[in-house]
Coordinates of all heavy atoms in Angstrom, one line a residue:
K1229 N -16.1 71.4 175.5 CA -16.4 70.9 176.9 C -16.1 69.5 177.0 O -16.1 68.9 178.1 CB -17.8 71.2 177.3 CG -18.2 72.6 177.4 CD -18.5 72.9 178.8 CE -18.9 74.4 179.0 NZ -19.2 74.7 180.3
R1230 N -15.8 68.8 175.9 CA -15.4 67.4 176.0 C -14.5 67.0 174.8 O -14.5 67.7 173.8 CB -16.6 66.5 176.1 CG -17.4 66.5 174.8 CD -18.7 65.7 175.1 NE -19.7 66.0 174.1 CZ -20.2 65.2 173.2 NH1 -19.9 63.9 173.3 NH2 -21.0 65.6 172.3
M1231 N -13.8 66.0 174.9 CA -12.9 65.5 173.9 C -12.9 64.0 173.9 O -13.0 63.3 174.9 CB -11.4 65.9 174.2 CG -10.4 65.5 173.1 SD -8.7 66.0 173.6 CE -8.8 67.7 173.4
S1232 N -12.9 63.4 172.7 CA -13.0 61.9 172.5 C -11.9 61.4 171.7 O -11.3 62.1 170.8 CB -14.3 61.6 171.8 OG -15.4 62.1 172.5
V1233 N -11.6 60.1 171.9 CA -10.6 59.4 171.1 C -11.1 58.0 171.0 O -11.7 57.4 171.9 CB -9.2 59.4 171.8 CG1 -9.2 58.8 173.1 CG2 -8.1 58.9 170.9
V1234 N -10.9 57.4 169.8 CA -11.2 56.0 169.6 C -9.9 55.2 169.7 O -8.9 55.5 169.1 CB -11.9 55.8 168.2 CG1 -12.1 54.3 167.9 CG2 -13.2 56.6 168.1
V1235 N -10.0 54.1 170.5 CA -8.9 53.3 170.8 C -9.2 51.8 170.4 O -10.3 51.3 170.7 CB -8.5 53.3 172.3 CG1 -7.3 52.4 172.6 CG2 -8.2 54.8 172.7
Q1236 N -8.3 51.2 169.7 CA -8.4 49.8 169.4 C -7.4 49.0 170.2 O -6.2 49.4 170.3 CB -8.2 49.5 167.9 CG -9.4 49.7 167.1 CD -9.3 49.2 165.7 OE1 -8.7 49.8 164.8 NE2 -9.8 48.0 165.5
R1237 N -7.9 48.0 170.8 CA -7.1 47.1 171.6 C -7.4 45.7 171.2 O -8.5 45.1 171.5 CB -7.3 47.3 173.1 CG -6.4 46.5 174.0 CD -6.6 46.9 175.4 NE -5.6 46.1 176.2 CZ -5.4 46.2 177.4 NH1 -6.2 47.0 178.1 NH2 -4.5 45.5 178.0
G1238 N -6.5 45.1 170.4 CA -6.8 43.8 169.9 C -7.9 43.9 168.9 O -7.9 44.7 168.0
S1239 N -8.9 43.1 169.1 CA -10.1 43.1 168.2 C -11.2 44.0 168.7 O -12.3 44.1 168.1 CB -10.7 41.7 168.0 OG -11.1 41.2 169.3
E1240 N -11.0 44.6 169.9 CA -12.0 45.5 170.5 C -11.7 47.0 170.2 O -10.5 47.4 170.2 CB -12.1 45.3 172.0 CG -12.6 43.9 172.3 CD -12.7 43.7 173.8 OE1 -11.8 44.1 174.6 OE2 -13.7 43.1 174.3
A1241 N -12.8 47.8 170.1 CA -12.6 49.2 170.0 C -13.5 49.9 171.0 O -14.6 49.5 171.4 CB -13.0 49.6 168.6
F1242 N -12.9 51.0 171.5 CA -13.6 51.8 172.6 C -13.5 53.3 172.2 O -12.6 53.7 171.6 CB -12.9 51.6 173.9 CG -12.9 50.2 174.4 CD1 -11.9 49.3 174.1 CD2 -13.9 49.8 175.3 CE1 -11.9 48.0 174.6 CE2 -13.9 48.5 175.7 CZ -12.9 47.6 175.4
V1243 N -14.5 54.0 172.6 CA -14.4 55.5 172.6 C -14.2 55.9 174.0 O -14.9 55.5 174.9 CB -15.7 56.1 172.0 CG1 -17.0 55.8 172.7 CG2 -15.5 57.6 171.8
L1244 N -13.2 56.7 174.2 CA -12.8 57.3 175.5 C -13.1 58.8 175.5 O -12.8 59.4 174.5 CB -11.4 57.0 175.9 CG -10.9 55.6 175.8 CD1 -9.4 55.5 176.1 CD2 -11.6 54.8 176.8
V1245 N -13.8 59.3 176.5 CA -14.3 60.7 176.5 C -13.9 61.3 177.8 O -14.0 60.7 178.8 CB -15.8 60.8 176.3 CG1 -16.2 62.3 176.2 CG2 -16.3 60.0 175.1
K1246 N -13.3 62.5 177.7 CA -13.1 63.3 178.9 C -13.8 64.6 178.8 O -14.0 65.2 177.7 CB -11.6 63.6 179.2 CG -11.0 64.6 178.2 CD -9.7 65.1 178.8 CE -9.1 66.1 177.9 NZ -9.5 67.5 178.1
G1247 N -14.3 65.1 179.9 CA -15.0 66.4 179.8 C -15.4 66.9 181.1 O -15.3 66.3 182.2
A1248 N -16.0 68.1 181.1 CA -16.5 68.7 182.3 C -17.7 67.9 182.9 O -18.4 67.2 182.2 CB -17.1 70.1 182.0
D1249 N -17.7 67.9 184.2 CA -18.7 67.0 184.9 C -20.1 67.2 184.4 O -20.9 66.3 184.2 CB -18.6 67.1 186.4 CG -18.7 68.5 187.0 OD1 -19.0 69.4 186.2 OD2 -18.5 68.6 188.2
N1250 N -20.5 68.5 184.3 CA -21.9 68.8 183.9 C -22.2 68.2 182.5 O -23.3 67.7 182.2 CB -22.3 70.3 183.9 CG -21.4 71.1 183.0 OD1 -20.2 70.8 182.8 ND2 -22.0 72.1 182.5
V1251 N -21.3 68.3 181.6 CA -21.5 67.8 180.2 C -21.5 66.2 180.2 O -22.3 65.6 179.5 CB -20.4 68.3 179.3 CG1 -20.4 67.7 177.9 CG2 -20.4 69.8 179.2
M1252 N -20.6 65.6 181.0 CA -20.5 64.2 181.0 C -21.7 63.5 181.6 O -22.1 62.5 181.2 CB -19.2 63.8 181.7 CG -17.9 64.2 180.9 SD -17.7 63.4 179.4 CE -17.2 61.8 179.9
F1253 N -22.2 64.1 182.7 CA -23.3 63.5 183.4 C -24.6 63.5 182.5 O -25.4 62.7 182.6 CB -23.6 64.2 184.7 CG -22.9 63.6 185.9 CD1 -21.9 64.3 186.6 CD2 -23.1 62.3 186.2 CE1 -21.2 63.7 187.6 CE2 -22.4 61.6 187.3 CZ -21.5 62.4 188.0
D1254 N -24.7 64.5 181.6 CA -25.8 64.5 180.7 C -25.8 63.3 179.8 O -26.8 62.9 179.3 CB -25.8 65.8 179.9 CG -26.2 67.0 180.7 OD1 -26.7 66.9 181.8 OD2 -25.9 68.2 180.2
R1255 N -24.6 62.8 179.6 CA -24.5 61.6 178.6 C -24.3 60.3 179.3 O -24.1 59.3 178.7 CB -23.3 61.9 177.7 CG -23.6 63.1 176.7 CD -22.4 63.6 176.1 NE -22.7 64.6 175.1 CZ -23.1 65.9 175.4 NH1 -23.2 66.2 176.6 NH2 -23.4 66.7 174.4
A1256 N -24.2 60.3 180.6 CA -23.9 59.1 181.4 C -25.1 58.1 181.4 O -26.2 58.5 181.4 CB -23.6 59.5 182.9
E1257 N -24.7 56.9 181.3 CA -25.7 55.8 181.4 C -26.3 55.7 182.8 O -27.5 55.4 183.0 CB -25.1 54.5 181.0 CG -26.0 53.3 181.0 CD -25.3 52.1 180.4 OE1 -24.8 52.1 179.3 OE2 -25.3 51.1 181.2
R1258 N -25.5 55.9 183.8 CA -25.9 55.9 185.2 C -25.1 56.9 186.0 O -24.0 57.2 185.6 CB -25.8 54.5 185.8 CG -24.4 53.9 185.8 CD -24.4 52.5 186.4 NE -23.2 51.9 186.2 CZ -22.1 52.0 187.0 NH1 -22.2 52.8 188.0 NH2 -21.0 51.4 186.7
R1259 N -25.7 57.3 187.1 CA -25.0 58.3 187.9 C -24.7 57.7 189.3 O -25.7 57.3 190.0 CB -25.9 59.6 188.1 CG -26.1 60.2 186.7 CD -27.0 61.4 186.9 NE -27.3 61.9 185.5 CZ -27.6 63.2 185.3 NH1 -27.7 64.0 186.3 NH2 -27.8 63.6 184.1
D1260 N -23.5 57.8 189.7 CA -23.1 57.2 191.0 C -23.3 58.3 192.1 O -22.6 59.4 192.0 CB -21.6 56.8 190.9 CG -21.1 56.2 192.2 OD1 -21.7 56.4 193.3 OD2 -20.1 55.5 192.1
P1261 N -24.1 58.1 193.1 CA -24.4 59.1 194.1 C -23.1 59.5 194.9 O -23.0 60.7 195.2 CB -25.4 58.5 195.0 CG -25.9 57.2 194.4 CD -24.9 56.9 193.2
V1262 N -22.2 58.6 195.1 CA -21.0 58.9 195.9 C -20.1 59.8 195.0 O -19.6 60.8 195.5 CB -20.3 57.6 196.2 CG1 -18.9 57.9 196.9 CG2 -21.1 56.7 197.1
L1263 N -20.0 59.5 193.7 CA -19.3 60.4 192.8 C -19.9 61.8 192.8 O -19.2 62.8 192.9 CB -19.2 59.8 191.4 CG -18.5 60.7 190.4 CD1 -17.1 61.0 190.8 CD2 -18.6 60.0 189.0
M1264 N -21.2 61.9 192.8 CA -21.9 63.2 192.8 C -21.5 64.0 194.1 O -21.3 65.2 194.0 CB -23.4 63.0 192.7 CG -23.9 62.4 191.4 SD -23.7 63.6 190.0 CE -25.0 64.8 190.4
E1265 N -21.5 63.3 195.2 CA -21.1 63.9 196.5 C -19.7 64.5 196.4 O -19.5 65.6 196.9 CB -21.2 62.9 197.7 CG -22.6 62.6 198.1 CD -22.7 61.6 199.3 OE1 -21.8 61.8 200.2 OE2 -23.5 60.8 199.3
H1266 N -18.8 63.7 195.9 CA -17.4 64.1 195.8 C -17.3 65.4 194.9 O -16.6 66.3 195.2 CB -16.5 63.0 195.3 CG -16.3 62.0 196.3 ND1 -15.7 62.2 197.6 CD2 -16.6 60.6 196.3 CE1 -15.6 61.0 198.2 NE2 -16.2 60.1 197.5
L1267 N -18.0 65.3 193.8 CA -18.0 66.4 192.8 C -18.5 67.7 193.5 O -18.0 68.8 193.3 CB -18.7 66.1 191.5 CG -18.0 65.0 190.7 CD1 -19.0 64.6 189.5 CD2 -16.7 65.5 190.2
Q1268 N -19.6 67.6 194.2 CA -20.2 68.7 194.9 C -19.2 69.3 195.9 O -19.0 70.5 196.0 CB -21.5 68.3 195.7 CG -22.6 68.0 194.8 CD -23.4 69.2 194.5 OE1 -23.4 70.2 195.2 NE2 -24.2 69.2 193.4
E1269 N -18.5 68.4 196.6 CA -17.5 68.8 197.6 C -16.4 69.6 196.9 O -16.0 70.7 197.4 CB -17.0 67.6 198.4 CG -16.0 68.0 199.5 CD -15.5 66.7 200.2 OE1 -16.2 65.7 200.3 OE2 -14.3 66.7 200.6
F1270 N -15.9 69.0 195.9 CA -14.8 69.7 195.1 C -15.2 71.0 194.6 O -14.5 72.0 194.7 CB -14.3 68.8 194.0 CG -13.7 67.5 194.4 CD1 -13.8 66.4 193.6 CD2 -13.0 67.4 195.6 CE1 -13.2 65.2 193.9 CE2 -12.4 66.2 195.9 CZ -12.5 65.1 195.1
A1271 N -16.4 71.1 194.1 CA -17.0 72.4 193.5 C -17.1 73.4 194.6 O -16.8 74.6 194.4 CB -18.3 72.1 192.9
S1272 N -17.5 73.0 195.8 CA -17.7 73.9 196.9 C -16.3 74.5 197.4 O -16.3 75.6 198.0 CB -18.4 73.3 198.1 OG -17.6 72.3 198.7
E1273 N -15.3 73.8 197.1 CA -13.9 74.3 197.4 C -13.3 75.1 196.2 O -12.2 75.5 196.3 CB -13.0 73.1 197.7 CG -13.4 72.4 199.0 CD -12.6 71.1 199.3 OE1 -11.5 71.0 198.7 OE2 -13.0 70.3 200.1
G1274 N -14.1 75.2 195.2 CA -13.6 76.0 194.0 C -12.8 75.2 193.0 O -12.1 75.8 192.2
L1275 N -12.8 73.9 193.2 CA -12.0 73.1 192.3 C -12.7 72.7 191.0 O -14.0 72.5 191.0 CB -11.6 71.8 193.0 CG -10.7 72.0 194.3 CD1 -10.5 70.7 195.0 CD2 -9.4 72.6 193.9
R1276 N -12.0 72.6 189.9 CA -12.6 72.2 188.6 C -12.4 70.7 188.5 O -11.4 70.2 189.0 CB -12.0 72.9 187.5 CG -12.3 74.4 187.5 CD -11.6 75.1 186.3 NE -12.2 74.5 185.0 CZ -11.5 74.5 183.9 NH1 -10.4 75.1 183.8 NH2 -12.1 74.0 182.8
T1277 N -13.3 70.0 187.9 CA -13.2 68.5 187.8 C -13.4 68.1 186.3 O -14.1 68.8 185.6 CB -14.2 67.8 188.6 OG1 -15.5 68.3 188.3 CG2 -13.9 68.0 190.1
L1278 N -12.8 67.0 185.9 CA -13.0 66.4 184.7 C -13.4 65.0 184.9 O -12.9 64.3 185.9 CB -11.7 66.4 183.8 CG -11.2 67.7 183.2 CD1 -9.9 67.6 182.5 CD2 -12.3 68.3 182.3
L1279 N -14.3 64.5 184.1 CA -14.7 63.0 184.2 C -14.2 62.3 182.9 O -14.1 62.9 181.9 CB -16.2 62.9 184.3 CG -16.8 63.6 185.6 CD1 -18.3 63.3 185.6 CD2 -16.2 63.1 186.8
I1280 N -14.0 61.0 183.1 CA -13.6 60.2 181.9 C -14.7 59.1 181.8 O -15.1 58.5 182.8 CB -12.2 59.6 182.2 CG1 -11.2 60.7 182.3 CG2 -11.9 58.6 181.0 CD1 -9.8 60.1 182.7
G1281 N -15.1 58.9 180.6 CA -16.1 57.8 180.3 C -15.6 57.0 179.2 O -14.7 57.3 178.4
R1282 N -16.2 55.8 179.0 CA -15.8 54.9 177.9 C -17.0 54.1 177.5 O -18.0 53.9 178.3 CB -14.7 54.0 178.4 CG -15.2 53.0 179.4 CD -14.3 51.8 179.5 NE -15.1 50.9 180.4 CZ -14.6 50.1 181.2 NH1 -13.3 50.0 181.4 NH2 -15.3 49.3 182.0
R1283 N -17.0 53.7 176.3 CA -18.0 52.8 175.7 C -17.4 51.9 174.7 O -16.6 52.4 173.9 CB -19.2 53.6 175.2 CG -20.3 52.7 174.7 CD -21.6 53.5 174.4 NE -21.5 54.4 173.2 CZ -21.6 54.0 172.0 NH1 -21.9 52.7 171.7 NH2 -21.5 54.8 171.0
K1284 N -17.8 50.6 174.7 CA -17.3 49.7 173.7 C -18.0 50.0 172.4 O -19.3 50.1 172.4 CB -17.5 48.3 174.2 CG -16.8 47.2 173.3 CD -17.0 45.9 173.9 CE -16.4 44.8 172.9 NZ -16.5 43.5 173.5
L1285 N -17.3 50.0 171.3 CA -18.0 50.2 170.0 C -18.1 48.8 169.3 O -17.2 48.0 169.3 CB -17.1 51.1 169.1 CG -16.9 52.5 169.6 CD1 -15.9 53.2 168.7 CD2 -18.2 53.3 169.7
D1286 N -19.2 48.6 168.6 CA -19.3 47.4 167.8 C -18.8 47.7 166.4 O -18.4 48.8 166.1 CB -20.8 46.9 167.8 CG -21.7 47.9 167.1 OD1 -21.3 48.6 166.2 OD2 -22.9 47.9 167.4
G1287 N -18.6 46.7 165.6 CA -18.0 46.8 164.3 C -18.7 47.8 163.4 O -18.0 48.6 162.7
A1288 N -20.0 47.9 163.4 CA -20.7 48.9 162.6 C -20.5 50.3 163.0 O -20.3 51.2 162.2 CB -22.2 48.6 162.6
E1289 N -20.4 50.5 164.3 CA -20.2 51.9 164.9 C -18.7 52.3 164.5 O -18.5 53.4 164.1 CB -20.3 51.9 166.4 CG -21.8 51.8 166.8 CD -21.9 51.7 168.4 OE1 -21.2 50.9 169.0 OE2 -22.6 52.5 168.9
L1290 N -17.8 51.4 164.7 CA -16.4 51.7 164.3 C -16.3 52.0 162.9 O -15.6 53.0 162.5 CB -15.5 50.5 164.8 CG -14.0 50.7 164.5 CD1 -13.5 52.0 165.2 CD2 -13.2 49.5 164.8
A1291 N -16.9 51.2 162.0 CA -16.8 51.4 160.6 C -17.4 52.8 160.2 O -16.8 53.5 159.4 CB -17.5 50.3 159.8
A1292 N -18.5 53.1 160.8 CA -19.2 54.4 160.5 C -18.3 55.6 161.0 O -18.1 56.6 160.3 CB -20.5 54.5 161.2
W1293 N -17.7 55.4 162.1 CA -16.8 56.5 162.6 C -15.6 56.6 161.7 O -15.2 57.7 161.4 CB -16.4 56.1 164.1 CG -15.4 57.1 164.6 CD1 -15.7 58.3 165.2 CD2 -14.0 57.1 164.5 NE1 -14.5 59.0 165.5 CE2 -13.4 58.3 165.0 CE3 -13.1 56.2 163.9 CZ2 -12.1 58.5 165.1 CZ3 -11.7 56.4 164.0 CH2 -11.2 57.6 164.5
Q1294 N -15.0 55.5 161.3 CA -13.8 55.5 160.5 C -14.1 56.2 159.1 O -13.3 57.0 158.7 CB -13.3 54.1 160.2 CG -12.0 54.0 159.5 CD -10.8 54.5 160.3 OE1 -10.6 54.0 161.4 NE2 -10.1 55.5 159.8
M1295 N -15.3 56.0 158.6 CA -15.7 56.6 157.3 C -15.8 58.1 157.5 O -15.3 58.9 156.7 CB -17.0 56.0 156.8 CG -17.3 56.5 155.4 SD -18.9 55.8 154.7 CE -19.3 54.5 155.8
R1296 N -16.4 58.6 158.6 CA -16.5 60.0 158.8 C -15.1 60.6 159.1 O -14.8 61.7 158.7 CB -17.5 60.3 160.0 CG -18.9 60.0 159.7 CD -19.8 60.6 160.8 NE -19.5 60.2 162.2 CZ -19.8 59.2 162.8 NH1 -20.6 58.3 162.3 NH2 -19.5 58.9 164.1
Y1297 N -14.3 59.9 159.8 CA -13.0 60.4 160.1 C -12.1 60.6 158.8 O -11.5 61.6 158.6 CB -12.3 59.4 161.1 CG -10.8 59.8 161.4 CD1 -10.6 60.8 162.3 CD2 -9.8 59.2 160.7 CE1 -9.3 61.2 162.6 CE2 -8.5 59.6 161.0 CZ -8.2 60.6 161.9 OH -6.9 61.0 162.2
D1298 N -12.2 59.5 158.0 CA -11.4 59.6 156.7 C -11.9 60.7 155.8 O -11.1 61.4 155.2 CB -11.5 58.3 156.0 CG -10.8 57.1 156.7 OD1 -10.0 57.4 157.5 OD2 -11.1 55.9 156.4
E1299 N -13.2 60.9 155.8 CA -13.8 62.0 155.0 C -13.3 63.4 155.6 O -13.0 64.3 154.8 CB -15.3 62.0 155.0 CG -16.0 63.0 154.2 CD -17.5 62.8 154.2 OE1 -18.0 61.7 154.1 OE2 -18.2 63.9 154.3
A1300 N -13.3 63.5 156.9 CA -12.8 64.8 157.5 C -11.4 65.0 157.2 O -10.9 66.2 157.0 CB -13.1 64.7 159.0
Q1301 N -10.6 64.0 157.2 CA -9.1 64.1 156.9 C -8.9 64.6 155.4 O -8.0 65.3 155.2 CB -8.4 62.8 157.1 CG -8.3 62.4 158.5 CD -7.4 63.4 159.3 OE1 -6.4 63.8 158.8 NE2 -7.8 63.7 160.5
R1302 N -9.8 64.2 154.5 CA -9.6 64.6 153.1 C -10.2 66.0 152.8 O -9.9 66.6 151.8 CB -10.3 63.5 152.2 CG -9.6 62.2 152.1 CD -10.2 61.3 151.1 NE -11.6 61.0 151.3 CZ -12.1 60.1 152.0 NH1 -11.3 59.2 152.6 NH2 -13.4 59.9 152.1
S1303 N -11.1 66.4 153.7 CA -11.8 67.7 153.4 C -10.9 68.9 153.6 O -10.0 68.9 154.4 CB -12.9 67.8 154.4 OG -13.5 69.1 154.3
T1304 N -11.0 69.8 152.7 CA -10.3 71.1 152.7 C -11.2 72.3 153.0 O -10.7 73.4 153.1 CB -9.5 71.3 151.4 OG1 -10.4 71.4 150.3 CG2 -8.5 70.2 151.2
D1305 N -12.5 72.0 153.1 CA -13.4 73.1 153.4 C -13.3 73.5 154.9 O -13.2 72.6 155.8 CB -14.9 72.7 153.1 CG -15.1 72.4 151.6 OD1 -14.3 72.9 150.8 OD2 -16.0 71.7 151.3
D1306 N -13.5 74.8 155.1 CA -13.6 75.3 156.5 C -12.3 75.0 157.4 O -12.5 74.7 158.6 CB -14.8 74.9 157.2 CG -16.1 75.4 156.5 OD1 -16.1 76.5 156.0 OD2 -17.1 74.6 156.5
R1307 N -11.2 74.9 156.8 CA -9.9 74.7 157.5 C -9.2 75.9 157.8 O -9.1 76.8 157.2 CB -9.1 73.7 156.8 CG -9.6 72.3 156.9 CD -8.6 71.3 156.6 NE -9.1 70.0 156.9 CZ -8.4 69.0 157.2 NH1 -7.1 69.1 157.2 NH2 -9.0 67.8 157.5

C-alpha cells in the first residue's frame, strides 16, 4: 500500500513515500482539511488517489537505513 525511496541531495537526505490515502494519513504529521475534502470528493466519484509524503533524515537515521539496506542486498534468504 506504500513505497519509499531515500534520496540524497547535496548534504541532505530525504525519505519520499507514496501510497494510498488511508495508509498515508495514518502516518501523517498533520492533516489538511482542504485535502481531506478533495479526497472525499474524488472517492465519491470512484477515483483512486495516491499521496506523496517526505521527511528529512538526520545523519544517524540515514546511517541506520544504509546499514539495513546493505544487509538486505547481501542476504540470500527468502529470495
Side-chain angles (χ1 to χ4, degrees):
K1229 295 243 180 184
R1230 64 189 165 119
M1231 181 184 289
S1232 303
V1233 63
V1234 174
V1235 178
Q1236 275 192 279
R1237 185 172 183 179
S1239 62
E1240 296 182 317
F1242 299 88
V1243 61
L1244 305 177
V1245 184
K1246 73 163 180 88
D1249 54 7
N1250 61 324
V1251 173
M1252 295 294 286
F1253 270 118
D1254 287 345
R1255 291 163 175 77
E1257 184 175 299
R1258 60 185 169 83
R1259 296 176 185 207
D1260 183 339
V1262 174
L1263 177 59
M1264 293 291 287
E1265 284 181 39
H1266 289 298
L1267 291 172
Q1268 290 272 338
E1269 182 180 330
F1270 295 150
S1272 70
E1273 295 176 18
L1275 300 173
R1276 294 180 63 204
T1277 56
L1278 289 175
L1279 299 182
I1280 298 173
R1282 67 158 190 219
R1283 185 168 66 84
K1284 188 174 179 180
L1285 298 175
D1286 64 31
E1289 289 174 309
L1290 179 60
W1293 177 87
Q1294 186 70 54
M1295 191 178 344
R1296 288 192 313 271
Y1297 177 81
D1298 292 342
E1299 185 178 317
Q1301 289 295 320
R1302 291 189 301 271
S1303 175
T1304 57
D1305 296 340
D1306 298 323
R1307 284 199 173 204

